[in-house]
Amino acid sequence: MATIRDVAKKAGVSVATVSRVLNNKGYAHEDTRRLVNEAIKELNYKPNEVARSLYKKTSRLIGLLLPDIRNPFFPELARGVEDEMQAQGIHLIIGNADEKPKKEIDYIQTFKQNNVIGIISATNQAETSLYEDLSIPVVFLDRTTNSHPSVYSDGLDGGKIAAQEMIKRGSKRIALLRGPIEVRTAQDRFKGAVDELCNANVDFQVITSSFSFHDAEKMAKTLFERFPETDGIIASNDLSAAAILHEALRIGRSIPDDLQIIGYDDIPLSKLLFPPLSTIRQPAYDMGREAGKLLMNIINKKPLEQNYIQMPVTFIERQTTRKVEKNG
Amino acid sequence: MATIRDVAKKAGVSVATVSRVLNNKGYAHEDTRRLVNEAIKELNYKPNEVARSLYKKTSRLIGLLLPDIRNPFFPELARGVEDEMQAQGIHLIIGNADEKPKKEIDYIQTFKQNNVIGIISATNQAETSLYEDLSIPVVFLDRTTNSHPSVYSDGLDGGKIAAQEMIKRGSKRIALLRGPIEVRTAQDRFKGAVDELCNANVDFQVITSSFSFHDAEKMAKTLFERFPETDGIIASNDLSAAAILHEALRIGRSIPDDLQIIGYDDIPLSKLLFPPLSTIRQPAYDMGREAGKLLMNIINKKPLEQNYIQMPVTFIERQTTRKVEKNG
DNA sequence: TTGAAAGCGATACCAC
DNA sequence: GTGGTATCGCTTTCAA
């Protein structure tokens, strides 16, 4: 790879001049500028980002920390972030924390060591101490906290809507899945649903389960064994809902007539399940973009309209819930 | 962040000594070593990877280029790579090329500018010119090429198996989906299937479609309009298979009695489809790990047993295909 | 066994 | 307008 020295030599100027042309900073005669640009092109010179980064203590990289890249919800977020960053010429280092604090710490360290200019984190570490004295901007995504700006969707409302729609459609013995205790958004949607269920004339069970696929499969089995009379399930996410749906069909439950299911997230595959899954939609891609925008605004010290961006959730009616009379 | 100077000062030695201790290189008296290590711990010093990288022209980063992070097959590969790298203390910059050569070039540039020690690419750029004079090791994943080491699965065999299983189970008018023309693995599985179909007493249609979700949905609709008599579909990947399954169910086809479907990949959600999807499994996670290992072996100049690692594919029988008599 | 000093490739200050 | 040079934080000769 050619260096700035090579360019300088070729153009017959000093490295300082090349640098100035490169960064459009300070004066440079039009002719000199052209000369330099020609040399750059001829040598196919690209500035060494590492050297740049060392001096400026900043880079064109941001770190994106995901809890589980295999859960389709997160790649969707990632795409949003990526597209937004791409538009601003910033690249991503994606880290998959795998729900393990150790990995998370590790990645944050790597991010710092590589001079990322900011971090977007979608992980579950309640102990924000990890992020406390980081000296670089952090935005939380799909997650709320008081200590940092964040982009998330309205979990309370989501849970509430799920419960309402479920009740409206006549389920009487409802199983409410509660996501991991350390995930704030999971607890929000849980609380939203609980409130609503308490106020209604229905029985309900609370079952705690992780967000992962594998756990959901096991959980589904036990659920139907222990509570065979359940006629409505509010899942903690679409992945769990899919596992439950699958198990329900396997043991011959009829959906939605005999059992209704509502998921959460609206991952791309939800509409391909059979029957297509009714769910609470989080605008994942848009959330990613917003987080990207927010972070860049912070980095560029633009005045912030808001530090906490709450995105709306919507009920997506598909076919794991019964139709409700138009004027019910 | 503390620098090596701070550590040196605190330990009362020179930076050179600290560096030696840090890297376990060259001599250092046991006492000095202890002194330095204490200082490091007290200051919570972490070496600046950027500075290190600038001098050594190498880093602890590798670049992973994915064609489409939203297709669940790729995160699965990524996890394999990541786990393998993690074990070796190497981190990933993941780039999502989005099937766009421009993005791909861009990412490769970023990788280089950040001194990655190697690249794993799962993209579709047939013109390997992109990767030709890169001066850093490249391993292709889920993709074959003569110019670089690669890890891939046996597409020819996969296509063949799919066709055999389909024929064995009695479909007579088969639609064969052909993935994107520029994707070598897609063409392999296509060819494998074609060969087999040609040798059998069946009719078949070839339909070209992309790997994406959205396209698959549209394609599914037209497929059933134009070829309503189709009684077996060999899809180019699970995503397409899911779209087709969905459409088939929607228009009231009975599966597998009236229509059989075989997918390709065995992404995690395939078993949650209804009916669960019969498919050709690629060992995605393992492929990722192998690619990671291969790359690290190249980087560490270990003798290579093989430059081209072909992984086996297997038929996963689920319920979109009919049962076959045991001694048929 | 240790330390001084020369780089790695860029930026930016200060002279000219 | 332009060029010389200190600097970013680290590694690695080379001399002591």
Side-chain angles (χ1 to χ4, degrees), chain A residues 20-85:
Chain A
R20 260 180 251 121
V21 172
L22 219 49
N23 300 288
N24 269 315
K25 234 177 203 169
Y27 305 95
H29 194 282
E30 193 45 50
D31 295 348
T32 320
R33 193 176 293 276
R34 211 182 31 255
L35 227 51
V36 171
N37 281 324
E38 271 165 24
I40 289 179
K41 199 155 285 170
E42 273 184 60
L43 295 171
N44 187 28
Y45 165 75
K46 308 277 178 204
N48 179 326
E49 288 292 337
V50 175
R52 215 172 222 179
S53 169
L54 176 60
Y55 186 89
K56 308 227 295 181
K57 295 178 188 310
T58 139
S59 67
R60 303 219 165 128
L61 258 23
I62 71 151
L64 174 62
L65 212 38
L66 264 24
D68 177 10
I69 199 179
R70 290 204 251 201
N71 178 339
F73 179 69
F74 296 107
E76 200 70 18
L77 288 178
R79 274 305 303 272
V81 175
E82 206 205 10
D83 284 0
E84 184 60 35
M85 288 312 172

Side-chain angles (χ1 to χ4, degrees), chain B residues 45-321:
Chain B
Y45 166 75
K46 309 277 177 200
N48 180 327
E49 288 291 338
V50 175
R52 211 171 226 181
S53 168
L54 176 59
Y55 186 90
K56 308 227 296 183
K57 294 177 190 312
T58 140
S59 68
R60 302 220 165 127
L61 261 21
I62 71 150
L64 173 62
L65 213 37
L66 264 24
D68 178 9
I69 199 180
R70 291 204 251 200
N71 178 340
F73 178 70
F74 296 106
E76 200 70 18
L77 288 178
R79 273 304 303 274
V81 175
E82 206 205 11
D83 285 359
E84 185 60 34
M85 288 311 172
Q86 174 111 19
Q88 314 211 20
I90 304 290
H91 289 271
L92 260 55
I93 306 184
I94 300 184
N96 182 51
D98 205 19
E99 320 258 16
K100 302 205 181 76
K102 171 148 181 3
K103 278 201 180 187
E104 184 161 357
I105 294 173
D106 223 55
Y107 265 114
I108 294 174
Q109 202 52 253
T110 304
F111 290 165
K112 274 169 68 176
Q113 290 177 327
N114 287 286
N115 281 345
V116 301
I117 52 178
I119 295 180
I120 297 181
S121 172
T123 62
N124 308 321
Q125 277 325 95
E127 320 98 276
T128 40
S129 79
L130 273 184
Y131 295 89
E132 235 156 45
D133 27 36
L134 216 47
S135 76
I136 41 176
V138 175
V139 166
F140 282 105
L141 178 53
D142 182 41
R143 159 146 171 46
T144 7
T145 159
N146 299 322
S147 55
H148 292 280
S150 39
V151 176
Y152 56 98
S153 69
D154 192 343
L156 231 43
D157 196 43
K160 188 173 145 185
I161 295 175
Q164 283 174 342
E165 299 292 341
M166 183 61 82
I167 293 164
K168 196 197 293 181
R169 286 169 172 73
S171 285
K172 289 289 184 199
R173 275 177 305 266
I174 296 173
L176 174 59
L177 263 50
R178 175 183 199 166
I181 207 88
E182 41 329 331
V183 182
R184 167 80 175 271
T185 51
Q187 294 315 310
D188 280 355
R189 52 186 97 151
F190 170 71
K191 271 183 228 142
V194 164
D195 279 359
E196 204 62 27
L197 290 174
C198 287
N199 293 334
N201 181 26
V202 296
D203 293 342
F204 69 96
Q205 284 294 339
V206 171
I207 295 159
T208 301
S209 80
S210 97
F211 270 169
S212 96
F213 219 49
H214 190 68
D215 292 351
E217 289 186 294
K218 281 189 295 189
M219 181 271 299
K221 279 206 199 324
T222 51
L223 186 152
F224 289 114
E225 279 163 18
R226 292 185 49 203
F227 310 108
E229 75 289 359
T230 300
D231 67 354
I233 297 177
I234 299 175
S236 50
N237 66 354
D238 280 357
L239 237 37
S240 318
I244 285 168
L245 177 55
H246 189 251
E247 176 65 12
L249 253 23
R250 200 186 64 81
I251 63 175
R253 301 291 299 259
S254 149
I255 294 171
D257 300 334
D258 166 39
L259 173 72
Q260 301 192 90
I261 302 176
I262 295 183
Y264 206 104
D265 285 347
D266 194 28
I267 56 179
L269 280 148
S270 296
K271 65 166 169 302
L272 288 189
L273 294 174
F274 187 85
L277 182 69
S278 296
T279 190
I280 306 295
R281 167 166 235 273
Q282 293 196 71
Y285 178 85
D286 291 334
M287 287 165 66
R289 284 205 84 126
E290 284 301 328
K293 262 184 219 157
L294 183 55
L295 181 63
M296 290 313 292
N297 281 342
I298 296 172
I299 288 170
N300 298 327
K301 304 213 186 322
K302 294 229 180 97
L304 294 184
E305 285 153 30
Q306 32 181 347
N307 268 320
Y308 300 93
I309 302 182
Q310 193 181 59
M311 314 276 289
V313 296
T314 45
F315 177 60
I316 304 289
E317 178 170 18
R318 296 207 184 95
Q319 295 163 41
T320 55
T321 46

Side-chain angles (χ1 to χ4, degrees), chain A residues 260-292:
Chain A
Q260 301 193 90
I261 301 176
I262 295 183
Y264 205 105
D265 285 347
D266 194 27
I267 57 179
L269 281 149
S270 296
K271 65 166 169 301
L272 289 189
L273 294 173
F274 187 83
L277 183 67
S278 296
T279 190
I280 305 295
R281 167 166 233 274
Q282 294 196 71
Y285 178 85
D286 291 335
M287 287 166 64
R289 283 205 86 124
E290 285 301 328

Side-chain angles (χ1 to χ4, degrees), chain A residues 138-140 143-153 184 290 294 298 304-311:
Chain A
V138 175
V139 165
F140 281 105
R143 158 144 172 48
T144 7
T145 158
N146 299 322
S147 55
H148 292 280
S150 41
V151 176
Y152 56 99
S153 70
R184 166 79 174 273
E290 285 301 328
L294 183 54
I298 296 172
L304 294 185
E305 286 153 29
Q306 33 181 348
N307 268 320
Y308 300 92
I309 302 181
Q310 192 182 58
M311 314 276 290

Side-chain angles (χ1 to χ4, degrees), chain A residues 84-130:
Chain A
E84 184 60 35
M85 288 312 172
Q86 172 110 21
Q88 314 212 18
I90 304 291
H91 289 271
L92 260 54
I93 305 183
I94 300 185
N96 182 52
D98 206 18
E99 321 257 17
K100 303 207 180 75
K102 169 146 182 6
K103 278 201 180 186
E104 184 162 359
I105 294 173
D106 223 55
Y107 264 115
I108 294 174
Q109 203 52 253
T110 304
F111 290 165
K112 275 169 67 176
Q113 290 177 326
N114 286 286
N115 281 346
V116 300
I117 52 177
I119 294 180
I120 297 181
S121 172
T123 62
N124 308 323
Q125 276 326 93
E127 319 99 274
T128 40
S129 82
L130 273 184

